[in-house]
């Protein structure tokens, strides 16, 4: 029996050891950060990862063109031991380079010794007598942990389209998140892509280069902006940056609305600028590339339709300059916005719009010609046409944010699975890291956090540090259990909803509200008030002795804060 909060130097935890202080689920940025920091704090830690390697979403997203859409110098851990001798080859690295980065982090931090790969957590239940989680995996291993940290990310449950006949297609068909490791050769093939979200944009760019014919099935045009990648990001440049700028950038990213190194102009600034000044400002953002045109423009785009209209009009002008055919222009950049700019996930692109100038590319608007079935030969639309294909790509996204957690059978103090509870009562959390009725359970980069509106590693570390500090506080003060109160959860959930409802978010059907999942309750899944406000709120709870939680000492006496 391993004692609670064993503080001796961390040793290799063999698979047959059942009790640990902290069990982590997932080996992406959040999981790796938690494992490293908690071990250094003297906790015994075990991590289960369903995949065969590190990276989280970067382990699974092997599709052609998979690439990060944050600049490399902020899309990494702030741990100097990792970044000081790691050099990126591109400003926006591809998937394989991210896999290599995680291998480098493993080598530097010796992560693997406490990780079981190819081990999927299938269920977990909380024992109110011992104040421990019993966690069961698909390998049959059970671990009892004082705390459970779900680092499952926001996109680990793929969403497959419910289209009749999908299983009858005789060609090759794959979801982008379940792409075979050996890859799929699309050269000279007739390729179809369903979906034009972030993954769809990247696959379409690659397929357009090699396919004999490409058919894209689009429901909503993607308001993609230019990536402006630097493909030869020199070692010399990075070495110079590490001397001074790297630490500044990594601190700065925690101070901005979206966790990047740039930020929005404050509310009202739009109206202080002349039309000419606004034009030059938007043109500068566009030229520099990245998410600046989304996360570095006017904060009012989320609240003021007039501001949003001007930002969309400029975006549309830039796209029309690159697309030649009037019909393609109508579908890709309609005069009337399909939704306010930026309230649905913006993607980064490199040559996406040029693909649609090719004579061998068709763009099917499935609002006009819905998909009725998949046949043995391809995709049949309502006009009766069968679009014959050799390869069908399902770029249909995820049951995002809540789905990653809800897919695990996690039962709290009342024996109800968390997914069932959220489905019946609606999403509720406290501080976007805990849930009432599920004590000693935390989750960074998940529901009601800044998740969808925040650079991933930034969010992983801001929330991760709060979780680590909380668990350390409990050890120091001899508490064995922390549970969010129903009142605190209700107040937090209402705050998240109120902030969200002030914006234009509900004017779009997106995964931000669960609208992409048939039958899923429509609600705010993320905290949309920005990272600085979020950080302030969670720190207020911590500084108040974890206000909003019931803390249980190792005796029967309870301290309610």
């Amino acid at each position: 029996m391993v004692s609670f909060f064993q503080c001796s130097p961390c040793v290799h935890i063999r698979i047959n050891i059942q009790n640990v202080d902290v069990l982590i689920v997932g080996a992406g940025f959040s999981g790796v950060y938690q494992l490293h920091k908690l071990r250094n704090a003297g906790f015994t830690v075990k991590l289960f990862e369903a995949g065969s390697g590190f990276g989280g979403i970067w382990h699974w997203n092997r599709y052609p063109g998979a690439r990060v859409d944050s600049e490399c110098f902020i899309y990494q851990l702030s741990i100097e031991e990792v970044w000081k001798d790691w050099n990126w080859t591109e400003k926006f690295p591809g998937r394989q380079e991210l896999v290599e980065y995680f291998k480098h982090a493993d080598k530097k931090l010796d992560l693997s010794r406490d990780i079981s790969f190819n081990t999927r957590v299938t269920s977990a239940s909380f024992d109110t007598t011992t104040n421990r989680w019993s966690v069961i995996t698909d390998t049959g291993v059970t671990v009892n942990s004082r705390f459970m940290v779900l680092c499952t990310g926001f996109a680990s449950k793929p969403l497959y389209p419910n289209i009749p006949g999908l299983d009858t297609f005789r060609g090759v068909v794959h979801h982008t998140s379940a792409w075979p490791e050996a890859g799929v050769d699309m050269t000279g093939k007739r390729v179809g892509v369903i979906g034009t979200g972030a993954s769809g944009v990247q696959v379409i760019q690659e397929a357009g280069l090699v396919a004999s014919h490409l058919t894209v099935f689009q429901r909503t045009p993607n308001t993609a902006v230019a990536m402006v990648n630097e493909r030869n990001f020199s070692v010399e440049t990075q070495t110079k940056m590490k001397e001074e700028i790297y630490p500044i950038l990594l601190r700065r990213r925690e101070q901005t609305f979206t966790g990047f190194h740039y930020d929005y102009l404050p509310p009202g600034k739009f109206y202080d600028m002349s039309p000419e000044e606004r034009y030059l400002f938007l043109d500068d953002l566009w030229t520099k590339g990245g998410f600046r045109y989304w996360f570095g423009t006017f904060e009012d785009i989320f609240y003021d339709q007039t501001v949003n209209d001007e930002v969309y009009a400029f975006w549309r002008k830039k796209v029309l300059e690159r697309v030649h055919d009037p019909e393609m222009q109508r579908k890709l950049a309609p005069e009337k916005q399909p939704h306010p700019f930026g309230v649905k996930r913006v993607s980064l692109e490199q040559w996406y719009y040029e693909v649609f100038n090719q004579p061998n590319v068709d763009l099917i608007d499935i609002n006009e010609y819905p998909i009725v079935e998949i046949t043995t030969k391809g995709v049949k639309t309502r006009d009766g046409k069968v679009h014959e294909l050799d390869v069908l790509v399902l770029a249909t996204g995820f049951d995002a944010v809540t789905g990653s957690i809800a897919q695990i059978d996690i039962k709290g103090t009342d024996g109800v699975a968390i997914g069932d509870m959220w489905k019946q009562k609606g999403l509720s959390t406290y501080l976007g890291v805990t849930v009432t009725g599920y004590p000693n359970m935390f989750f960074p980069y998940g529901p009601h956090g800044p998740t969808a509106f925040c650079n991933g590693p930034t969010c992983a570390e801001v929330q991760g540090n709060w979780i680590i500090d909380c668990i350390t506080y409990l050890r120091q003060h001899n508490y064995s259990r922390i549970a969010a109160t129903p009142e605190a959860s209700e107040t937090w959930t209402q705050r998240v909803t109120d902030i969200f409802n002030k914006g234009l978010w509900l004017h779009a059907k997106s995964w931000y509200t669960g609208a992409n999942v048939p039958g899923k309750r429509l609600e705010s899944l993320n905290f949309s008030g920005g990272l600085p406000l979020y950080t302030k709120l969670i720190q207020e709870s911590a500084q108040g002795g974890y206000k909003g939680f019931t803390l249980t000492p190792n005796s029967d006496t309870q301290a309610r804060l």
Side-chain angles (χ1 to χ4, degrees), residues 5 82 105-106 161 198 230 239 249 259 283 303 323-324 339 346 350 362 368 441 452 479-480 492 512 518 529-530:
F5 293 138
V82 177
D106 180 31
E230 188 175 335
T239 300
L249 289 171
D283 191 63
Y303 309 103
V323 180
H324 303 155
H339 54 75
V346 172
Q350 299 178 84
D362 291 330
E368 298 176 357
M441 183 184 83
Y479 290 115
S480 62
W492 176 261
Y512 294 165

Side-chain angles (χ1 to χ4, degrees), residues 262-270 273 277-278 281 285 295-301:
Y262 42 80
D263 210 354
Y264 293 112
L265 291 183
K269 184 64 176 177
F270 175 89
M273 300 167 70
E277 187 180 3
R278 294 197 298 265
F281 170 66
L285 295 177
F295 289 154
T297 182
F298 308 100
E299 187 177 335
D300 288 329
I301 64 167

Side-chain angles (χ1 to χ4, degrees), residues 150-435:
L150 302 172
C151 298
T152 50
F154 75 90
S156 62
K157 183 181 180 181
L159 183 64
Y160 287 83
N162 184 20
I163 304 175
L166 182 58
D167 59 346
T168 68
F169 180 59
R170 291 179 181 172
V172 175
V173 57
H174 293 293
H175 194 284
T176 49
S177 71
W179 205 259
E181 197 163 2
V184 175
D185 186 6
M186 297 187 292
T187 305
K189 304 289 179 61
R190 299 168 299 175
V191 178
V193 181
I194 299 177
T196 54
S199 299
V201 166
Q202 293 182 335
V203 170
I204 288 164
Q205 289 179 144
E206 299 301 320
L209 297 175
V210 299
S212 63
H213 192 277
L214 173 63
T215 306
V216 176
F217 299 89
Q218 171 186 281
R219 181 181 63 184
T220 307
N222 193 316
T223 49
V225 298
M227 176 176 282
V228 189
N229 193 12
E230 188 175 335
R231 292 190 175 276
N232 295 303
F233 196 40
S234 72
V235 173
E236 181 182 2
T237 296
Q238 293 175 75
T239 300
K240 190 173 182 179
M241 290 177 70
K242 291 172 188 177
E243 293 174 359
E244 181 180 11
I245 299 299
Y246 257 37
I248 292 173
L249 289 171
L250 293 170
R251 291 195 300 270
R252 174 56 179 161
R253 71 181 184 179
E254 295 189 3
Q255 302 166 4
T256 65
F257 195 97
T258 56
F260 284 72
H261 54 298
Y262 42 80
D263 210 354
Y264 293 112
L265 291 183
K269 184 64 176 177
F270 175 89
Y271 295 102
D272 294 336
M273 300 167 70
S274 68
E276 293 77 16
E277 187 180 3
R278 294 197 298 265
Y279 183 95
L280 293 173
F281 170 66
L282 293 175
D283 191 63
D284 182 61
L285 295 177
W286 188 274
T287 301
K288 289 179 178 177
F291 277 141
R292 287 174 180 82
Y293 197 81
W294 185 24
F295 289 154
T297 182
F298 308 100
E299 187 177 335
D300 288 329
I301 64 167
F302 299 121
Y303 309 103
D304 187 326
Q305 189 63 58
T306 299
V307 178
N308 196 285
D309 286 344
E310 185 163 319
V311 172
Y312 177 81
F314 186 93
W315 170 86
R316 180 171 182 264
K317 173 183 178 297
K318 289 293 187 181
V319 171
L320 294 183
E321 290 172 356
R322 296 167 58 187
V323 180
H324 303 155
D325 180 71
E327 184 64 11
M328 287 293 190
Q329 290 179 336
R330 180 184 72 82
K331 293 177 181 178
L332 293 167
E335 184 175 357
K336 181 181 178 181
Q337 293 191 59
H339 54 75
F341 181 89
V343 301
K344 191 168 184 175
R345 214 299 196 159
V346 172
S347 300
L348 297 189
E349 57 82 28
Q350 299 178 84
W351 58 89
Y352 178 67
Y353 293 106
E354 284 72 17
V355 170
F356 295 96
N357 292 327
Q358 298 176 197
N360 65 331
V361 176
D362 291 330
L363 177 58
I364 310 301
D365 183 343
I366 62 173
N367 297 295
E368 298 176 357
Y369 300 104
I371 297 172
V372 294
E373 66 173 322
I374 307 295
T375 72
T376 57
K377 295 182 177 181
V379 177
K380 183 177 181 180
T381 47
R382 192 167 61 184
D383 58 355
K385 182 175 181 179
V386 175
H387 303 269
E388 296 190 1
L389 306 169
D390 302 305
V391 179
L392 177 59
V393 181
L394 305 177
T396 48
F398 302 87
D399 180 355
V401 188
T402 53
S404 301
I405 295 174
Q407 66 181 330
I408 306 172
D409 182 22
I410 302 172
K411 291 184 170 67
T413 55
D414 59 1
V416 176
I418 195 168
D420 293 338
M421 187 268 288
W422 282 340
K423 185 175 182 179
Q424 294 164 9
K425 299 181 179 179
L427 176 60
S428 63
T429 75
Y430 180 46
L431 304 181
V433 288
T434 64
V435 178

